[in-house]
Amino acid sequence: MSRSWERKVRKNSATLNKQRQKSGHKEIKVGSEQYDEFKGRNFILPSTLIFVSLLYAFLGNAVAMAQSPTLYWVTVIAYVALGIILFVRRPYLKVAKDSLSTPKWNRLRVLEAKGIKKITIQPGYIVIWPEKKGANWVFSRVMNRYDTDAMGERLIKFAEQHGIAYEKLSK
């Protein structure tokens, strides 16, 4: 479908959904992008931040109390809060019809199918090689608790659909 047609479909479905909502019917999902999402769990950096803040709290307690105890405890609480926030925000890989997306350094990165050079699938790791300069996207079972087996199967289908080279390595 062309983009203008997709916009018309979205606009008309929004109008129809408003009418259906007024009459008590369920909404119709039309025009929403279909994607597969693989979530991981970030635990290394958050646990390191919490450990360092607790270490700082216990070891620096005597020295900091002489200077400014309020700012000292604000710093400790800020590091613990940052660790909790990073733990709660789960990393993911979204595989859409013609693109891949993932959050990197608090920004959503999108890689179109035509911008992918190669996909390497290994036991426990998946590496996506972009065409342009830039870092490879690495998804690890050890670091971020991704289900790399399911991700690998879906990425092989994605690569076959778009003619992207992929390499499946075994142990």
Side-chain angles (χ1 to χ4, degrees), residues 60-78:
N61 197 7
V63 175
M65 287 303 164
Q67 297 169 356
S68 175
T70 307
L71 188 58
Y72 171 77
W73 286 110
V74 166
T75 305
V76 170
I77 291 170

Side-chain angles (χ1 to χ4, degrees), residues 106-123:
N106 207 20
R107 201 170 115 193
L108 184 65
R109 305 286 179 157
V110 178
L111 194 57
E112 299 294 327
K114 61 186 174 194
I116 300 173
K117 185 188 327 181
K118 180 173 82 167
I119 297 174
T120 305
I121 301 164
Q122 307 173 38

Side-chain angles (χ1 to χ4, degrees), residues 71-129:
L71 188 58
Y72 171 77
W73 286 110
V74 166
T75 305
V76 170
I77 291 170
Y79 273 106
V80 170
L82 181 62
I84 291 170
I85 288 170
L86 288 176
F87 181 77
V88 169
R89 292 184 63 212
R90 295 178 71 176
Y92 59 85
L93 172 68
K94 281 186 183 177
V95 182
K97 182 172 63 172
D98 59 349
S99 66
L100 303 175
S101 61
T102 187
K104 297 270 186 190
W105 295 107
N106 207 20
R107 201 170 115 193
L108 184 65
R109 305 286 179 157
V110 178
L111 194 57
E112 299 294 327
K114 61 186 174 194
I116 300 173
K117 185 188 327 181
K118 180 173 82 167
I119 297 174
T120 305
I121 301 164
Q122 307 173 38
Y125 292 95
I126 292 178
V127 182
I128 299 172
W129 305 72

